[in-house]
């Protein structure tokens, strides 16, 4: 799904030569840096760097990777991705399963005033609380947020900042593909998204990586209106790739009132238990 050679090529093409002290040249025929320029700036031979980009040099040292990351201007997330790609031939990571401890589901249920869900590295929703189901307008089991975002056209309006969300999702899936290159379900999802969405194909070709974290997340609910929420991701320490995602509203904000209204939409059902789409550890 992803390899060191391809990642080096895409990162090289994005470096402005002027930013590393190379004068502008009207005869330059490539975007970004040339291979020999990356090699010179990194302190490695041109032949060795060419072999890296051709996939023939498979075990670069940490010193070489550090130098390449510096020349290519990689941030912390991109550096981590580069190092993982370089290690794959030696220690491929096994894709995590979908088992959740009952205690984790209990914590999910305790989040009563904000939508909350548990997602894995494929962006499959393994469990969600009642407010999450009301926000997305559907049961949580079976929901994959990447598929929901790119392929379900009728659902696109839920994301008030759809284009930024697509950048985040593709960046996350790139990271996941680098971390779990032998995960067949992840590969199948990426293939499905590439077949069904032209925007996904274009963004995937850029090879950008993004870590899931925290920040603004805006939704446009058909009955409540716009909800300006804050997303916070909590990694589950004994469940690699899984995170508890909580979408909270600032105190006294219109979004806080909106979540109260949203909660009221589900009072008739009487179902306050979180929905689950995962194996539960005994």
């Amino acid at each position: 799904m992803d390899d060191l050679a391809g990642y080096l090529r895409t990162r090289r093409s994005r470096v402005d030569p002027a930013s590393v002290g190379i004068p502008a040249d009207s005869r330059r025929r490539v975007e970004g840096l040339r291979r020999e320029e990356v090699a010179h700036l990194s302190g490695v031979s041109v032949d060795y760097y060419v072999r890296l980009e051709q996939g023939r040099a498979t075990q670069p040292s940490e010193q070489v990777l550090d130098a390449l990351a510096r020349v290519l201007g990689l941030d912390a997330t991109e550096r981590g991705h580069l190092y993982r790609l370089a290690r794959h031939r030696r220690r491929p990571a096994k894709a995590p399963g979908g088992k959740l401890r009952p205690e984790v589901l209990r914590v999910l249920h305790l989040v009563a005033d904000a939508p909350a869900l548990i997602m894995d590295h494929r962006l499959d929703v393994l469990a969600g609380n009642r407010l999450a189901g009301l926000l997305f307008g559907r049961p949580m089991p079976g929901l994959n947020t990447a598929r929901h975002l790119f392929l379900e056209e009728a659902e696109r309006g839920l994301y008030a900042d759809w284009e930024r969300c697509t950048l985040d999702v593709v960046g996350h899936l790139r990271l996941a593909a680098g971390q779990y290159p032998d995960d067949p379900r992840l590969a199948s999802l990426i293939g499905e998204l590439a077949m069904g969405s032209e925007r996904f194909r274009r963004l995937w070709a850029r090879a950008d990586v993004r870590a899931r974290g925290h920040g603004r997340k805006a939704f446009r609910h058909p009955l409540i209106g716009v909800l300006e929420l804050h997303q916070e991701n909590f990694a589950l320490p004994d469940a690699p790739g899984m995170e508890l995602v909580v979408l909270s509203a600032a105190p006294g904000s219109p979004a806080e009132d909106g979540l109260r209204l949203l909660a009221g939409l589900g009072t008739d059902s009487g179902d306050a238990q979180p929905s689950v789409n995962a194996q539960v550890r005994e």
Side-chain angles (χ1 to χ4, degrees):
M1 287 184 289
D2 209 348
D3 59 19
L4 177 64
Y7 192 62
L8 288 174
R9 289 193 296 270
T10 61
R11 297 309 93 186
R12 172 169 63 87
S13 70
R14 295 175 185 276
V15 179
D16 179 5
S19 70
V20 293
I22 298 176
D25 184 352
S26 60
R27 295 171 296 177
R28 180 176 288 270
R29 292 179 295 176
V30 299
E31 292 187 21
L33 297 178
R34 299 184 178 99
R35 287 175 171 174
E36 58 269 25
E37 292 168 340
V38 175
H40 173 73
L41 292 167
S42 304
V44 301
S45 71
V46 174
D47 176 69
Y48 181 72
Y49 182 75
V50 168
R51 286 190 286 120
L52 278 175
E53 281 207 4
Q54 292 176 342
R56 295 188 290 120
T58 58
Q59 295 188 6
S61 68
E62 187 169 330
Q63 291 78 8
V64 168
L65 293 174
D66 286 343
L68 291 173
R70 172 180 53 79
V71 171
L72 298 175
L74 305 187
D75 62 23
T77 299
E78 293 167 328
R79 279 174 178 261
H81 186 61
L82 177 72
Y83 300 150
R84 279 191 295 272
L85 293 177
R87 292 195 297 265
H88 279 164
R89 291 179 182 268
R90 287 171 279 179
R91 295 190 305 273
K94 182 180 179 181
K99 294 184 179 180
L100 293 173
R101 290 183 289 111
E103 295 82 2
V104 173
L105 294 175
R106 186 163 66 236
V107 170
L108 178 68
H109 178 50
L110 291 174
V111 182
D113 298 326
L117 44 135
I118 296 173
M119 303 172 68
D120 67 10
H121 64 286
R122 306 179 193 98
L123 301 181
D124 285 329
V125 177
L126 305 179
N129 68 0
R130 186 171 63 88
L131 269 181
L134 292 170
L135 175 63
F136 283 88
R138 56 178 292 171
M140 292 291 95
L143 174 66
N144 176 278
T145 57
R147 190 179 290 114
H148 192 251
L149 185 71
F150 281 102
L151 302 184
E152 299 183 22
E153 294 288 338
E155 306 297 336
R156 182 175 296 187
L158 177 66
Y159 303 92
D161 196 353
W162 183 81
E163 291 192 355
R164 185 179 64 82
C165 287
T166 61
L167 294 173
D168 292 341
V169 164
V170 174
H172 164 76
L173 289 178
R174 266 287 180 186
L175 271 184
Q179 190 169 6
Y180 307 110
D182 298 326
D183 182 354
R185 288 177 56 193
L186 179 59
S188 177
L189 172 66
I190 291 169
E192 179 187 356
L193 295 172
M195 289 290 291
S197 169
E198 191 272 337
R199 179 167 176 79
F200 181 88
R201 289 194 297 274
R202 285 193 289 109
L203 294 181
W204 187 259
R206 290 165 50 171
D208 294 335
V209 293
R210 295 192 180 197
R212 285 190 295 183
H214 56 82
R216 172 184 174 274
K217 196 81 167 183
F219 295 89
R220 188 182 295 109
H221 192 275
L223 299 177
I224 305 300
V226 175
L227 292 167
E228 295 272 357
L229 303 175
H230 175 83
Q231 177 173 312
E232 199 73 36
N233 291 43
F234 303 93
L236 301 183
D238 62 345
M242 296 186 196
E243 292 180 333
L244 170 65
V245 180
V246 180
L247 299 160
S248 64
S253 67
E256 185 179 46
D257 295 333
L259 287 181
R260 290 196 188 98
L261 291 172
L262 184 66
L265 295 178
T267 54
D268 293 339
S269 69
D271 181 13
Q273 298 296 320
S275 52
V276 180
N277 187 31
Q279 294 176 304
V280 180
R281 298 181 190 173
E282 299 297 337

